[in-house]
PDB file of all heavy atoms in Angstrom:
ATOM      1  N   MET A  42       0.851  -1.195   0.000  1.00 33.00           N
ATOM      2  CA  MET A  42       0.000   0.000   0.000  1.00 33.00           C
ATOM      3  C   MET A  42       0.885   1.242   0.000  1.00 33.00           C
ATOM      4  O   MET A  42       1.843   1.327   0.732  1.00 33.00           O
ATOM      5  CB  MET A  42      -0.864  -0.028   1.258  1.00 33.00           C
ATOM      6  CG  MET A  42      -1.985   0.960   1.251  1.00 33.00           C
ATOM      7  SD  MET A  42      -3.066   0.802  -0.170  1.00 33.00           S
ATOM      8  CE  MET A  42      -3.521  -0.918  -0.023  1.00 33.00           C
ATOM      9  N   THR A  54     -11.823  25.712  -0.095  1.00 34.00           N
ATOM     10  CA  THR A  54     -12.437  26.172   1.132  1.00 34.00           C
ATOM     11  C   THR A  54     -13.702  25.416   1.520  1.00 34.00           C
ATOM     12  O   THR A  54     -13.901  25.115   2.671  1.00 34.00           O
ATOM     13  CB  THR A  54     -12.750  27.670   1.070  1.00 34.00           C
ATOM     14  OG1 THR A  54     -13.389  27.917  -0.171  1.00 34.00           O
ATOM     15  CG2 THR A  54     -11.504  28.504   1.163  1.00 34.00           C
ATOM     16  N   GLU A  64      -8.803  17.290 -10.565  1.00 89.00           N
ATOM     17  CA  GLU A  64      -8.212  18.037 -11.682  1.00 89.00           C
ATOM     18  C   GLU A  64      -8.869  17.610 -12.997  1.00 89.00           C
ATOM     19  O   GLU A  64      -8.860  18.345 -13.969  1.00 89.00           O
ATOM     20  CB  GLU A  64      -6.715  17.716 -11.792  1.00 89.00           C
ATOM     21  CG  GLU A  64      -5.923  17.920 -10.514  1.00 89.00           C
ATOM     22  CD  GLU A  64      -5.415  19.328 -10.387  1.00 89.00           C
ATOM     23  OE1 GLU A  64      -4.972  19.884 -11.396  1.00 89.00           O
ATOM     24  OE2 GLU A  64      -5.481  19.865  -9.272  1.00 89.00           O
ATOM     25  N   ARG A  67     -12.025  16.195 -18.184  1.00 98.00           N
ATOM     26  CA  ARG A  67     -12.414  15.448 -19.379  1.00 98.00           C
ATOM     27  C   ARG A  67     -12.026  13.992 -19.198  1.00 98.00           C
ATOM     28  O   ARG A  67     -11.019  13.701 -18.543  1.00 98.00           O
ATOM     29  CB  ARG A  67     -11.683  16.004 -20.617  1.00 98.00           C
ATOM     30  CG  ARG A  67     -12.152  17.389 -20.991  1.00 98.00           C
ATOM     31  CD  ARG A  67     -11.118  18.099 -21.842  1.00 98.00           C
ATOM     32  NE  ARG A  67     -11.477  19.498 -21.974  1.00 98.00           N
ATOM     33  CZ  ARG A  67     -12.155  20.010 -22.997  1.00 98.00           C
ATOM     34  NH1 ARG A  67     -12.539  19.231 -23.991  1.00 98.00           N
ATOM     35  NH2 ARG A  67     -12.469  21.285 -23.027  1.00 98.00           N
ATOM     36  N   SER A  79      -3.230 -11.905 -21.503  1.00 98.00           N
ATOM     37  CA  SER A  79      -1.898 -12.511 -21.631  1.00 98.00           C
ATOM     38  C   SER A  79      -1.092 -11.923 -22.787  1.00 98.00           C
ATOM     39  O   SER A  79       0.123 -12.062 -22.813  1.00 98.00           O
ATOM     40  CB  SER A  79      -2.021 -14.028 -21.786  1.00 98.00           C
ATOM     41  OG  SER A  79      -2.921 -14.353 -22.824  1.00 98.00           O
ATOM     42  N   TYR A  89       3.728  -6.697 -27.016  1.00 98.00           N
ATOM     43  CA  TYR A  89       2.769  -6.163 -27.998  1.00 98.00           C
ATOM     44  C   TYR A  89       2.122  -4.871 -27.506  1.00 98.00           C
ATOM     45  O   TYR A  89       1.422  -4.218 -28.283  1.00 98.00           O
ATOM     46  CB  TYR A  89       1.694  -7.221 -28.309  1.00 98.00           C
ATOM     47  CG  TYR A  89       2.321  -8.581 -28.496  1.00 98.00           C
ATOM     48  CD1 TYR A  89       2.112  -9.614 -27.582  1.00 98.00           C
ATOM     49  CD2 TYR A  89       3.209  -8.800 -29.552  1.00 98.00           C
ATOM     50  CE1 TYR A  89       2.740 -10.837 -27.725  1.00 98.00           C
ATOM     51  CE2 TYR A  89       3.854 -10.020 -29.698  1.00 98.00           C
ATOM     52  CZ  TYR A  89       3.619 -11.033 -28.782  1.00 98.00           C
ATOM     53  OH  TYR A  89       4.253 -12.238 -28.912  1.00 98.00           O
ATOM     54  N   TRP A 122     -20.901   0.634 -20.612  1.00 98.00           N
ATOM     55  CA  TRP A 122     -21.636   1.904 -20.683  1.00 98.00           C
ATOM     56  C   TRP A 122     -22.531   2.127 -19.469  1.00 98.00           C
ATOM     57  O   TRP A 122     -22.663   3.242 -18.996  1.00 98.00           O
ATOM     58  CB  TRP A 122     -22.601   1.942 -21.853  1.00 98.00           C
ATOM     59  CG  TRP A 122     -22.111   1.740 -23.223  1.00 98.00           C
ATOM     60  CD1 TRP A 122     -20.836   1.909 -23.722  1.00 98.00           C
ATOM     61  CD2 TRP A 122     -22.919   1.332 -24.325  1.00 98.00           C
ATOM     62  NE1 TRP A 122     -20.833   1.623 -25.061  1.00 98.00           N
ATOM     63  CE2 TRP A 122     -22.094   1.269 -25.458  1.00 98.00           C
ATOM     64  CE3 TRP A 122     -24.282   1.028 -24.454  1.00 98.00           C
ATOM     65  CZ2 TRP A 122     -22.571   0.909 -26.713  1.00 98.00           C
ATOM     66  CZ3 TRP A 122     -24.762   0.669 -25.699  1.00 98.00           C
ATOM     67  CH2 TRP A 122     -23.907   0.614 -26.815  1.00 98.00           C
ATOM     68  N   THR A 127     -26.896  -5.190 -18.139  1.00 97.00           N
ATOM     69  CA  THR A 127     -28.234  -4.712 -18.500  1.00 97.00           C
ATOM     70  C   THR A 127     -28.846  -5.598 -19.569  1.00 97.00           C
ATOM     71  O   THR A 127     -28.133  -6.217 -20.351  1.00 97.00           O
ATOM     72  CB  THR A 127     -28.143  -3.260 -19.020  1.00 97.00           C
ATOM     73  OG1 THR A 127     -29.442  -2.780 -19.333  1.00 97.00           O
ATOM     74  CG2 THR A 127     -27.263  -3.154 -20.261  1.00 97.00           C
ATOM     75  N   PHE A 132     -35.082  -2.619 -31.361  1.00 97.00           N
ATOM     76  CA  PHE A 132     -36.084  -1.699 -31.910  1.00 97.00           C
ATOM     77  C   PHE A 132     -35.767  -1.456 -33.385  1.00 97.00           C
ATOM     78  O   PHE A 132     -34.672  -1.768 -33.855  1.00 97.00           O
ATOM     79  CB  PHE A 132     -36.123  -0.383 -31.124  1.00 97.00           C
ATOM     80  CG  PHE A 132     -34.957   0.554 -31.379  1.00 97.00           C
ATOM     81  CD1 PHE A 132     -35.175   1.833 -31.906  1.00 97.00           C
ATOM     82  CD2 PHE A 132     -33.656   0.170 -31.099  1.00 97.00           C
ATOM     83  CE1 PHE A 132     -34.109   2.702 -32.127  1.00 97.00           C
ATOM     84  CE2 PHE A 132     -32.584   1.049 -31.325  1.00 97.00           C
ATOM     85  CZ  PHE A 132     -32.816   2.307 -31.836  1.00 97.00           C
ATOM     86  N   PRO A 135     -34.561   4.087 -36.912  1.00 95.00           N
ATOM     87  CA  PRO A 135     -34.692   4.946 -38.103  1.00 95.00           C
ATOM     88  C   PRO A 135     -33.332   5.420 -38.626  1.00 95.00           C
ATOM     89  O   PRO A 135     -33.194   5.677 -39.819  1.00 95.00           O
ATOM     90  CB  PRO A 135     -35.543   6.122 -37.606  1.00 95.00           C
ATOM     91  CG  PRO A 135     -35.489   6.079 -36.118  1.00 95.00           C
ATOM     92  CD  PRO A 135     -35.209   4.668 -35.729  1.00 95.00           C
ATOM     93  N   ARG A 155     -24.776  13.613 -19.888  1.00 98.00           N
ATOM     94  CA  ARG A 155     -25.421  14.722 -20.594  1.00 98.00           C
ATOM     95  C   ARG A 155     -26.567  15.313 -19.787  1.00 98.00           C
ATOM     96  O   ARG A 155     -26.754  16.526 -19.760  1.00 98.00           O
ATOM     97  CB  ARG A 155     -25.939  14.246 -21.947  1.00 98.00           C
ATOM     98  CG  ARG A 155     -24.814  14.054 -22.967  1.00 98.00           C
ATOM     99  CD  ARG A 155     -25.372  14.000 -24.373  1.00 98.00           C
ATOM    100  NE  ARG A 155     -26.184  15.170 -24.625  1.00 98.00           N
ATOM    101  CZ  ARG A 155     -27.173  15.230 -25.508  1.00 98.00           C
ATOM    102  NH1 ARG A 155     -27.450  14.183 -26.249  1.00 98.00           N
ATOM    103  NH2 ARG A 155     -27.879  16.337 -25.657  1.00 98.00           N
ATOM    104  N   LYS A 176     -27.518   1.422 -29.708  1.00 98.00           N
ATOM    105  CA  LYS A 176     -27.939   2.673 -29.095  1.00 98.00           C
ATOM    106  C   LYS A 176     -28.020   2.559 -27.569  1.00 98.00           C
ATOM    107  O   LYS A 176     -28.065   1.453 -27.018  1.00 98.00           O
ATOM    108  CB  LYS A 176     -29.280   3.105 -29.672  1.00 98.00           C
ATOM    109  CG  LYS A 176     -29.230   3.393 -31.190  1.00 98.00           C
ATOM    110  CD  LYS A 176     -28.162   4.421 -31.540  1.00 98.00           C
ATOM    111  CE  LYS A 176     -28.329   5.081 -32.917  1.00 98.00           C
ATOM    112  NZ  LYS A 176     -28.347   4.176 -34.056  1.00 98.00           N
ATOM    113  N   TYR A 191     -23.060   9.793 -32.089  1.00 98.00           N
ATOM    114  CA  TYR A 191     -22.396   8.612 -32.655  1.00 98.00           C
ATOM    115  C   TYR A 191     -21.654   9.039 -33.910  1.00 98.00           C
ATOM    116  O   TYR A 191     -22.259   9.548 -34.852  1.00 98.00           O
ATOM    117  CB  TYR A 191     -23.431   7.532 -33.001  1.00 98.00           C
ATOM    118  CG  TYR A 191     -24.164   6.989 -31.792  1.00 98.00           C
ATOM    119  CD1 TYR A 191     -25.453   7.417 -31.489  1.00 98.00           C
ATOM    120  CD2 TYR A 191     -23.566   6.045 -30.962  1.00 98.00           C
ATOM    121  CE1 TYR A 191     -26.130   6.922 -30.379  1.00 98.00           C
ATOM    122  CE2 TYR A 191     -24.237   5.538 -29.863  1.00 98.00           C
ATOM    123  CZ  TYR A 191     -25.518   5.984 -29.578  1.00 98.00           C
ATOM    124  OH  TYR A 191     -26.192   5.494 -28.491  1.00 98.00           O
ATOM    125  N   HIS A 215     -15.834  16.837 -23.895  1.00 98.00           N
ATOM    126  CA  HIS A 215     -15.359  16.536 -22.539  1.00 98.00           C
ATOM    127  C   HIS A 215     -15.439  15.050 -22.229  1.00 98.00           C
ATOM    128  O   HIS A 215     -14.785  14.575 -21.318  1.00 98.00           O
ATOM    129  CB  HIS A 215     -16.178  17.309 -21.497  1.00 98.00           C
ATOM    130  CG  HIS A 215     -15.756  18.744 -21.386  1.00 98.00           C
ATOM    131  ND1 HIS A 215     -16.055  19.670 -22.342  1.00 98.00           N
ATOM    132  CD2 HIS A 215     -15.043  19.395 -20.429  1.00 98.00           C
ATOM    133  CE1 HIS A 215     -15.553  20.846 -21.976  1.00 98.00           C
ATOM    134  NE2 HIS A 215     -14.926  20.705 -20.819  1.00 98.00           N
ATOM    135  N   LEU A 221     -12.421   0.304 -30.506  1.00 98.00           N
ATOM    136  CA  LEU A 221     -11.526  -0.329 -31.475  1.00 98.00           C
ATOM    137  C   LEU A 221     -11.911  -1.811 -31.602  1.00 98.00           C
ATOM    138  O   LEU A 221     -11.810  -2.570 -30.643  1.00 98.00           O
ATOM    139  CB  LEU A 221     -10.070  -0.193 -31.020  1.00 98.00           C
ATOM    140  CG  LEU A 221      -9.563   1.237 -30.813  1.00 98.00           C
ATOM    141  CD1 LEU A 221      -8.109   1.220 -30.322  1.00 98.00           C
ATOM    142  CD2 LEU A 221      -9.681   2.077 -32.092  1.00 98.00           C
ATOM    143  N   HIS A 229     -10.555 -13.737 -34.151  1.00 98.00           N
ATOM    144  CA  HIS A 229     -11.476 -14.730 -34.716  1.00 98.00           C
ATOM    145  C   HIS A 229     -10.955 -15.331 -36.027  1.00 98.00           C
ATOM    146  O   HIS A 229     -11.379 -16.422 -36.414  1.00 98.00           O
ATOM    147  CB  HIS A 229     -12.850 -14.104 -34.972  1.00 98.00           C
ATOM    148  CG  HIS A 229     -13.638 -13.889 -33.721  1.00 98.00           C
ATOM    149  ND1 HIS A 229     -13.984 -14.919 -32.889  1.00 98.00           N
ATOM    150  CD2 HIS A 229     -14.127 -12.758 -33.142  1.00 98.00           C
ATOM    151  CE1 HIS A 229     -14.672 -14.427 -31.854  1.00 98.00           C
ATOM    152  NE2 HIS A 229     -14.756 -13.120 -31.988  1.00 98.00           N
ATOM    153  N   GLU A 249      -0.565   7.167 -29.199  1.00 98.00           N
ATOM    154  CA  GLU A 249      -0.736   8.426 -29.946  1.00 98.00           C
ATOM    155  C   GLU A 249      -1.877   9.254 -29.362  1.00 98.00           C
ATOM    156  O   GLU A 249      -1.799  10.483 -29.318  1.00 98.00           O
ATOM    157  CB  GLU A 249      -1.034   8.135 -31.424  1.00 98.00           C
ATOM    158  CG  GLU A 249       0.201   7.769 -32.219  1.00 98.00           C
ATOM    159  CD  GLU A 249      -0.152   7.477 -33.675  1.00 98.00           C
ATOM    160  OE1 GLU A 249      -0.971   8.202 -34.275  1.00 98.00           O
ATOM    161  OE2 GLU A 249       0.388   6.486 -34.205  1.00 98.00           O
ATOM    162  N   LYS A 263      -5.651  17.755 -17.691  1.00 95.00           N
ATOM    163  CA  LYS A 263      -6.989  17.744 -17.090  1.00 95.00           C
ATOM    164  C   LYS A 263      -7.856  16.647 -17.679  1.00 95.00           C
ATOM    165  O   LYS A 263      -9.084  16.733 -17.645  1.00 95.00           O
ATOM    166  CB  LYS A 263      -7.658  19.112 -17.192  1.00 95.00           C
ATOM    167  CG  LYS A 263      -7.604  19.754 -18.536  1.00 95.00           C
ATOM    168  CD  LYS A 263      -7.932  21.251 -18.426  1.00 95.00           C
ATOM    169  CE  LYS A 263      -7.594  21.936 -19.728  1.00 95.00           C
ATOM    170  NZ  LYS A 263      -7.503  23.381 -19.629  1.00 95.00           N
ATOM    171  N   LEU A 266      -7.593   9.241 -18.984  1.00 98.00           N
ATOM    172  CA  LEU A 266      -7.790   8.242 -20.035  1.00 98.00           C
ATOM    173  C   LEU A 266      -7.936   6.876 -19.376  1.00 98.00           C
ATOM    174  O   LEU A 266      -7.121   6.503 -18.521  1.00 98.00           O
ATOM    175  CB  LEU A 266      -6.576   8.247 -20.974  1.00 98.00           C
ATOM    176  CG  LEU A 266      -6.506   7.130 -22.019  1.00 98.00           C
ATOM    177  CD1 LEU A 266      -7.653   7.232 -23.022  1.00 98.00           C
ATOM    178  CD2 LEU A 266      -5.166   7.189 -22.763  1.00 98.00           C
ATOM    179  N   ASP A 300      -5.508  12.789 -11.625  1.00 91.00           N
ATOM    180  CA  ASP A 300      -5.964  12.355 -10.299  1.00 91.00           C
ATOM    181  C   ASP A 300      -5.632  10.901 -10.017  1.00 91.00           C
ATOM    182  O   ASP A 300      -6.016  10.375  -8.971  1.00 91.00           O
ATOM    183  CB  ASP A 300      -7.484  12.545 -10.195  1.00 91.00           C
ATOM    184  CG  ASP A 300      -7.874  13.996 -10.429  1.00 91.00           C
ATOM    185  OD1 ASP A 300      -7.444  14.849  -9.627  1.00 91.00           O
ATOM    186  OD2 ASP A 300      -8.557  14.275 -11.414  1.00 91.00           O
ATOM    187  N   ASP A 315     -17.702  -1.399 -12.877  1.00 96.00           N
ATOM    188  CA  ASP A 315     -17.086  -0.317 -12.095  1.00 96.00           C
ATOM    189  C   ASP A 315     -16.550   0.828 -12.962  1.00 96.00           C
ATOM    190  O   ASP A 315     -16.163   1.878 -12.432  1.00 96.00           O
ATOM    191  CB  ASP A 315     -15.944  -0.887 -11.233  1.00 96.00           C
ATOM    192  CG  ASP A 315     -16.441  -1.909 -10.216  1.00 96.00           C
ATOM    193  OD1 ASP A 315     -17.597  -1.762  -9.748  1.00 96.00           O
ATOM    194  OD2 ASP A 315     -15.689  -2.849  -9.888  1.00 96.00           O
ATOM    195  N   PRO A 348      -3.702  26.073   4.635  1.00 64.00           N
ATOM    196  CA  PRO A 348      -2.929  26.598   5.762  1.00 64.00           C
ATOM    197  C   PRO A 348      -3.718  27.732   6.416  1.00 64.00           C
ATOM    198  O   PRO A 348      -4.281  28.570   5.727  1.00 64.00           O
ATOM    199  CB  PRO A 348      -1.638  27.110   5.125  1.00 64.00           C
ATOM    200  CG  PRO A 348      -1.855  27.132   3.672  1.00 64.00           C
ATOM    201  CD  PRO A 348      -3.151  26.446   3.334  1.00 64.00           C
ATOM    202  N   PHE A 372      -0.761  11.702  12.655  1.00 88.00           N
ATOM    203  CA  PHE A 372      -0.406  13.047  12.217  1.00 88.00           C
ATOM    204  C   PHE A 372       0.675  13.644  13.101  1.00 88.00           C
ATOM    205  O   PHE A 372       0.855  13.275  14.260  1.00 88.00           O
ATOM    206  CB  PHE A 372      -1.625  13.962  12.119  1.00 88.00           C
ATOM    207  CG  PHE A 372      -2.448  14.049  13.382  1.00 88.00           C
ATOM    208  CD1 PHE A 372      -2.157  14.999  14.349  1.00 88.00           C
ATOM    209  CD2 PHE A 372      -3.520  13.189  13.587  1.00 88.00           C
ATOM    210  CE1 PHE A 372      -2.915  15.094  15.498  1.00 88.00           C
ATOM    211  CE2 PHE A 372      -4.283  13.272  14.744  1.00 88.00           C
ATOM    212  CZ  PHE A 372      -3.980  14.217  15.707  1.00 88.00           C
ATOM    213  N   SER A 377       1.882  22.967  19.425  1.00 92.00           N
ATOM    214  CA  SER A 377       0.829  22.528  20.351  1.00 92.00           C
ATOM    215  C   SER A 377      -0.428  23.368  20.134  1.00 92.00           C
ATOM    216  O   SER A 377      -0.347  24.505  19.675  1.00 92.00           O
ATOM    217  CB  SER A 377       1.297  22.711  21.803  1.00 92.00           C
ATOM    218  OG  SER A 377       2.499  22.010  21.990  1.00 92.00           O
ATOM    219  N   SER A 406      -1.328   9.450  17.116  1.00 90.00           N
ATOM    220  CA  SER A 406      -1.825   8.313  16.357  1.00 90.00           C
ATOM    221  C   SER A 406      -3.228   7.954  16.829  1.00 90.00           C
ATOM    222  O   SER A 406      -3.469   7.823  18.036  1.00 90.00           O
ATOM    223  CB  SER A 406      -0.877   7.133  16.585  1.00 90.00           C
ATOM    224  OG  SER A 406      -1.168   6.126  15.662  1.00 90.00           O
ATOM    225  N   ARG A 427     -11.168  14.945   8.149  1.00 88.00           N
ATOM    226  CA  ARG A 427     -10.923  16.381   8.279  1.00 88.00           C
ATOM    227  C   ARG A 427     -10.120  16.617   9.551  1.00 88.00           C
ATOM    228  O   ARG A 427     -10.562  16.253  10.637  1.00 88.00           O
ATOM    229  CB  ARG A 427     -12.268  17.119   8.366  1.00 88.00           C
ATOM    230  CG  ARG A 427     -12.160  18.622   8.562  1.00 88.00           C
ATOM    231  CD  ARG A 427     -13.561  19.175   8.832  1.00 88.00           C
ATOM    232  NE  ARG A 427     -13.578  20.631   8.918  1.00 88.00           N
ATOM    233  CZ  ARG A 427     -13.256  21.311  10.010  1.00 88.00           C
ATOM    234  NH1 ARG A 427     -12.868  20.690  11.111  1.00 88.00           N
ATOM    235  NH2 ARG A 427     -13.322  22.632  10.011  1.00 88.00           N
ATOM    236  N   GLU A 429      -8.324  19.535  11.714  1.00 90.00           N
ATOM    237  CA  GLU A 429      -8.094  20.965  11.899  1.00 90.00           C
ATOM    238  C   GLU A 429      -7.117  21.153  13.047  1.00 90.00           C
ATOM    239  O   GLU A 429      -7.303  20.601  14.138  1.00 90.00           O
ATOM    240  CB  GLU A 429      -9.414  21.687  12.204  1.00 90.00           C
ATOM    241  CG  GLU A 429      -9.242  23.189  12.271  1.00 90.00           C
ATOM    242  CD  GLU A 429     -10.572  23.932  12.378  1.00 90.00           C
ATOM    243  OE1 GLU A 429     -11.619  23.274  12.560  1.00 90.00           O
ATOM    244  OE2 GLU A 429     -10.544  25.171  12.296  1.00 90.00           O
ATOM    245  N   PHE A 436      -7.870  17.941   4.478  1.00 79.00           N
ATOM    246  CA  PHE A 436      -8.849  16.938   4.084  1.00 79.00           C
ATOM    247  C   PHE A 436      -8.119  15.794   3.406  1.00 79.00           C
ATOM    248  O   PHE A 436      -7.262  16.031   2.564  1.00 79.00           O
ATOM    249  CB  PHE A 436      -9.889  17.520   3.121  1.00 79.00           C
ATOM    250  CG  PHE A 436     -10.792  18.518   3.761  1.00 79.00           C
ATOM    251  CD1 PHE A 436     -10.550  19.878   3.661  1.00 79.00           C
ATOM    252  CD2 PHE A 436     -11.895  18.097   4.494  1.00 79.00           C
ATOM    253  CE1 PHE A 436     -11.390  20.802   4.252  1.00 79.00           C
ATOM    254  CE2 PHE A 436     -12.738  19.007   5.085  1.00 79.00           C
ATOM    255  CZ  PHE A 436     -12.481  20.360   4.977  1.00 79.00           C
TER     256      PHE A 436
END
Side-chain angles (χ1 to χ4, degrees):
M42 193 56 55
T54 47
E64 306 272 319
R67 291 159 191 264
S79 52
Y89 316 112
W122 303 338
T127 182
F132 74 119
R155 285 197 54 206
K176 297 305 198 302
Y191 296 101
H215 281 73
L221 302 178
H229 285 300
E249 282 179 42
K263 48 196 168 196
L266 171 65
D300 302 298
D315 298 328
F372 55 89
S377 304
S406 192
R427 178 188 185 278
E429 186 172 8
F436 292 97

